[in-house]
């Protein structure tokens, strides 16, 4: 158990819709990162937040956005969903090293 | 970011040692070598990390070449539970949590 939880477990959305995924980190972990993992591939870094501010971003468009809250929870928001957004979305929290990953949210876009 | 190269897949027999190689010829002096693994239907799990010296923990050992252009993750006695995808990742010391995963090595453990 990593102490990192994600909700929902699975989600089905239609192309063009918006989605919000949630993550609850361990207490004291000031940094949270989000990753997208397509089937059969390694996780791809989306962005990370440190003390409620974005401080790093991968090669993802602005329709991927996030929030981090003082209670160690965070959100990943994706607007204008596309079919290629279908993937497992992972959040990871840490005080530094190592990162602790949640089990992920499986998003299917139809 | 410096790139890592790993074999796509490896097989091992249960209770035998496993050596998982990783090449990182463009590693910089401040890059740490991290290993994570991902069991089926789970998020990645931290295994071990190091900078220059070999490292041991309860899960595995990390052997780092003298020139740091390659490293090897060693599982001393593979169990069925060790079947997973193993990722070798380079992280700069100044980097917080930006982890750039490759495709990893899929380890199969045979009973």
């Amino acid at each position: 158990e990593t102490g990192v939880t994600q909700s929902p477990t699975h989600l089905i959305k239609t192309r063009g819709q918006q989605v919000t995924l949630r993550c609850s980190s361990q207490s004291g972990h000031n940094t949270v990162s989000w990753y997208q993992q397509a089937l059969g591939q390694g996780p791809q870094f989306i962005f990370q937040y440190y003390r409620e501010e974005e401080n790093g971003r991968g090669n993802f468009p602005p329709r991927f956005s996030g929030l981090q809250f003082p209670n160690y929870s965070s959100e990943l928001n994706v607007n204008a969903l596309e079919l290629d957004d279908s993937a497992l979305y992972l959040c990871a929290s840490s005080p530094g090293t190592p990162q602790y990953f949640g089990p992920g949210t499986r998003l299917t876009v139809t | 970011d410096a790139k890592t190269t790993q074999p796509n897949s490896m097989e091992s027999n249960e209770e035998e040692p496993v050596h998982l190689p990783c090449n990182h010829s463009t590693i910089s002096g401040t890059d740490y070598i991290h290993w994570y693994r991902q069991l089926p239907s789970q998020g990645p799990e931290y295994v071990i990390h190091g900078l220059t010296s070999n490292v041991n923990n309860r899960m595995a050992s990390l052997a780092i070449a003298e020139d740091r252009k390659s490293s090897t993750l060693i599982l001393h006695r593979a169990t069925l539970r060790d079947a997973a995808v193993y990722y070798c990742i380079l992280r700069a010391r100044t980097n917080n949590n930006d982890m750039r995963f490759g495709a990893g090595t899929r380890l199969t453990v045979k009973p």
Side-chain angles (χ1 to χ4, degrees):
Chain A
E1 290 297 323
T2 64
V4 180
T5 59
Q6 293 186 242
S7 62
T9 305
H10 296 89
L11 196 56
I12 300 174
K13 288 287 191 178
T14 303
R15 188 171 52 183
Q17 287 187 317
Q18 178 267 342
V19 68
T20 297
L21 309 181
R22 294 180 172 82
C23 173
S24 179
S25 306
Q26 287 191 37
S27 177
H29 286 191
N30 294 318
T31 303
V32 65
S33 302
W34 285 88
Y35 295 83
Q36 179 194 69
Q37 186 173 24
L39 206 59
Q41 298 182 21
Q44 300 299 305
F45 174 71
I46 302 175
F47 48 58
Q48 67 181 13
Y49 280 77
Y50 176 70
R51 293 188 174 179
E52 303 166 46
E53 290 196 8
E54 183 179 308
N55 75 334
R57 190 175 187 93
N59 189 27
F60 280 82
R63 61 189 184 85
F64 286 79
S65 63
L67 288 171
Q68 185 186 24
F69 303 102
N71 66 351
Y72 303 106
S73 66
S74 60
E75 292 180 354
L76 165 65
N77 299 290
V78 187
N79 293 322
L81 283 166
E82 301 176 359
L83 297 179
D84 285 348
D85 295 333
S86 295
L88 180 69
Y89 288 85
L90 297 157
C91 77
S93 73
S94 82
T97 296
Q99 288 195 66
Y100 297 89
F101 284 81
T105 293
R106 172 72 62 186
L107 172 65
T108 302
V109 182
T110 62
Chain B
D1 294 317
K3 186 178 176 180
T4 62
T5 304
Q6 300 177 252
N8 291 333
S9 62
M10 291 184 65
E11 282 191 355
S12 171
N13 294 318
E14 195 176 12
E15 298 189 3
E16 290 186 355
V18 182
H19 290 231
L20 296 164
C22 181
N23 288 319
H24 29 78
S25 58
T26 59
I27 190 171
S28 74
T30 57
D31 284 341
Y32 282 79
I33 302 158
H34 289 249
W35 284 82
Y36 281 72
R37 71 180 185 181
Q38 189 170 19
L39 279 65
S41 302
Q42 295 187 25
E45 172 188 35
Y46 169 79
V47 178
I48 201 166
H49 78 284
L51 184 63
T52 56
S53 304
N54 294 344
V55 184
N56 300 295
N57 66 20
R58 65 173 180 82
M59 289 181 70
S61 295
L62 176 59
I64 302 172
E66 195 169 336
D67 63 5
R68 300 208 329 124
K69 294 184 184 299
S70 66
S71 60
T72 302
L73 178 70
I74 302 166
L75 307 179
H76 295 286
R77 289 183 69 219
T79 69
L80 297 178
R81 193 195 175 277
D82 291 322
V85 178
Y86 287 78
Y87 298 100
C88 169
I89 304 159
L90 301 182
R91 266 182 68 190
R93 178 166 41 193
T94 56
N95 190 309
N96 278 339
N97 284 305
D98 181 355
M99 304 279 283
R100 305 292 172 132
F101 289 78
T105 296
R106 180 173 298 279
L107 175 65
T108 301
V109 180
K110 297 183 289 184

